[in-house]
Amino acid sequence: MSRSTMIVGTGSFVPDKVLTNLDLEKMVNTSDEWIMTRTGIKERRIVGEETATSDLALKAAERALKAAGVSPSEIDLVLIATVTPDMAFPSTACLVQDRIGAKKAAAFDISAACSGFVYGLSIADQFIRNGTYDTVLLIGAETLSKITDWTDRNTCVLLGDGAGAVVLRPTEESKGILSFYLGADGGAGDFLKVPAGGSRQPPTCETVNKKLHYIKMRGNELFKIAVRVLTRAVEEALSRSCLSIEDISLLIPHQANIRIIQAAAEKAGIPLSKVYINVHKYGNTSSASIAIALDEAVREGRIKEGNIIVLDAFGGGLTWGACVIKW
Ligand code: UT7
């Protein structure tokens, strides 16, 4: 029997502060009705000024380790998927490695925007499957509120903060991660980006005044691509493990917009009763979205041993990917 990778514990954490659609009505020219009908989002969680991404990541990680019964000293690798690192470097993974006390672990961040958690799973899977590491801590964590233009109604109603984590270990049984499909289209990268703050446009008074450190999104174009690639990713990942749509027990898609989720599920022929949805509570939390949803699904008893779970991501880059797991 060959070695494969299984999730042995999940955890998540969202900040206490709730920002409702009614709160947003007082900030920009929008309405609860518009946000609900166009996105399905009712509220989102927002960190306070003093809180950074590593603070959320740490709490989600502690919960995942507790659920797994794994101590920090056993971790070989800490991976964090984020587009809102505490700073350019050290990586947020290194900050968490230190704070959690994972003394023997290597650590690095993954930049694949909303697909970061699924990309991260594929990295963890390689390290575990080939025998390099036995225990990997993977976290998706974001404080998108820090890069949100709170005067731009096109984006500010969509985004939220949070973190989700998993602990991964090898198994000799025929379960765990079965297959992946990952994709990217850098040519469409302009549809979703933070233009400044890197080496192309370093921070200046001008970049700040022009609001170039905030998320810019062409939602309409993204919507159509999202539905197409989310559907394709599920089909490709399933075919790589010789499974079909009917085998899926639960689809956990990236939570960006209820209409995208519904359209992709319909296109793939998956009934909504088999789709996990929590976008109404948290909005789009980028790389944390699937990780939080997975943890909630586990804790609510929606996932049972032997179930086929498909994680399905789409985001900036553009990037996308799906992962098939036998629980
Ligand atoms: O994380 C992965 C990447 N992100 C995504 O996948 C997001 C994908 N896109 C979407 O979710 C949707 O395209 C949005 C929610 C962003 C927008 O929904 P839409 O149905 O595509 O609306 P729209 O962009 O076509 O805008 C329709 C109207 C526009 O007004 P006009 O031009 O028709 O007069 C917008 O100005 O709605 C207006 N609008 C708003 N109205 C009230 C845009 N944002 C708002 C708002 N409140 N917050």
Side-chain angles (χ1 to χ4, degrees):
M1 186 63 73
S2 66
R3 182 173 157 116
S4 59
T5 307
M6 66 184 285
I7 293 172
V8 295
T10 66
S12 62
F13 180 81
V14 292
D16 289 339
K17 187 180 172 195
V18 177
L19 188 71
T20 66
N21 291 350
L22 298 179
D23 295 327
L24 282 162
E25 282 183 2
K26 294 174 203 141
M27 297 161 64
V28 287
N29 180 16
T30 191
S31 65
D32 175 47
E33 202 259 327
W34 190 96
I35 304 170
M36 276 302 285
T37 52
R38 298 289 179 126
T39 73
I41 301 167
K42 187 84 195 154
E43 58 189 39
R44 66 291 290 144
R45 301 301 183 94
I46 303 293
V47 293
E49 233 170 76
E50 70 296 341
T51 302
T53 295
S54 66
D55 301 323
L56 305 186
L58 184 70
K59 292 207 166 90
E62 284 168 349
R63 290 178 179 179
L65 288 167
K66 190 171 177 217
V70 167
S71 80
S73 62
E74 297 174 86
I75 302 169
D76 298 306
L77 176 65
V78 178
L79 295 171
I80 299 195
T82 186
V83 294
T84 48
D86 286 24
M87 58 193 89
F89 69 90
S91 69
T92 306
C94 281
L95 301 175
V96 170
Q97 182 255 3
D98 173 50
R99 287 175 69 186
I100 212 161
K103 291 205 183 312
K104 74 167 179 182
F108 63 93
D109 285 1
I110 300 154
S111 175
C114 308
S115 309
F117 184 72
V118 170
Y119 267 62
L121 273 179
S122 76
I123 297 168
D125 183 45
Q126 304 306 312
F127 277 121
I128 289 177
R129 199 178 283 272
N130 72 21
T132 305
Y133 293 134
D134 284 330
T135 307
V136 178
L137 171 65
L138 168 66
I139 308 165
E142 302 288 3
T143 48
L144 294 181
S145 62
K146 306 270 181 157
I147 57 167
T148 297
D149 177 356
W150 291 103
T151 65
D152 176 14
R153 70 175 185 176
N154 291 299
T155 52
C156 76
V157 303
L158 306 173
L159 310 169
D161 301 335
V166 292
V167 179
L168 299 127
R169 284 202 148 159
T171 176
E172 301 290 324
E173 294 172 52
S174 59
K175 63 179 184 181
I177 292 175
L178 302 181
S179 59
F180 282 100
Y181 170 73
L182 303 178
D185 177 10
D190 265 352
F191 292 172
L192 181 54
K193 64 178 180 181
V194 175
S199 58
R200 181 64 64 194
Q201 291 193 80
T204 60
C205 291
E206 198 190 347
T207 61
V208 172
N209 290 337
K210 285 185 169 168
K211 299 185 169 185
L212 299 181
H213 298 275
Y214 293 130
I215 294 176
K216 312 285 177 196
M217 181 187 294
R218 279 160 56 187
N220 234 272
E221 285 99 330
L222 283 174
F223 192 110
K224 289 168 214 141
I225 302 171
V227 173
R228 193 173 70 238
V229 299
L230 282 167
T231 310
R232 177 156 168 236
V234 170
E235 290 166 353
E236 292 277 353
L238 279 170
S239 78
R240 288 176 186 197
S241 46
C242 300
L243 292 170
S244 61
I245 292 289
E246 292 70 37
D247 295 312
I248 297 178
S249 311
L250 190 67
L251 175 73
I252 303 183
H254 172 49
Q255 309 282 318
N257 183 324
I258 189 73
R259 288 160 53 223
I260 294 177
I261 295 171
Q262 286 167 339
E266 190 183 334
K267 203 161 171 227
I270 305 167
L272 275 182
S273 58
K274 289 187 175 182
V275 182
Y276 193 84
I277 296 166
N278 65 6
V279 68
H280 53 288
K281 293 195 287 183
Y282 307 126
N284 181 348
T285 59
S286 191
S287 67
S289 125
I290 290 176
I292 294 170
L294 175 64
D295 179 51
E296 292 198 338
V298 167
R299 286 171 197 269
E300 288 164 14
R302 293 275 306 265
I303 300 179
K304 308 234 169 7
E305 200 173 341
N307 280 177
I308 297 295
I309 311 301
V310 181
L311 313 182
D312 195 13
F314 165 75
L318 301 179
T319 54
W320 55 87
C323 173
V324 181
I325 303 168
K326 185 173 182 190
W327 204 261

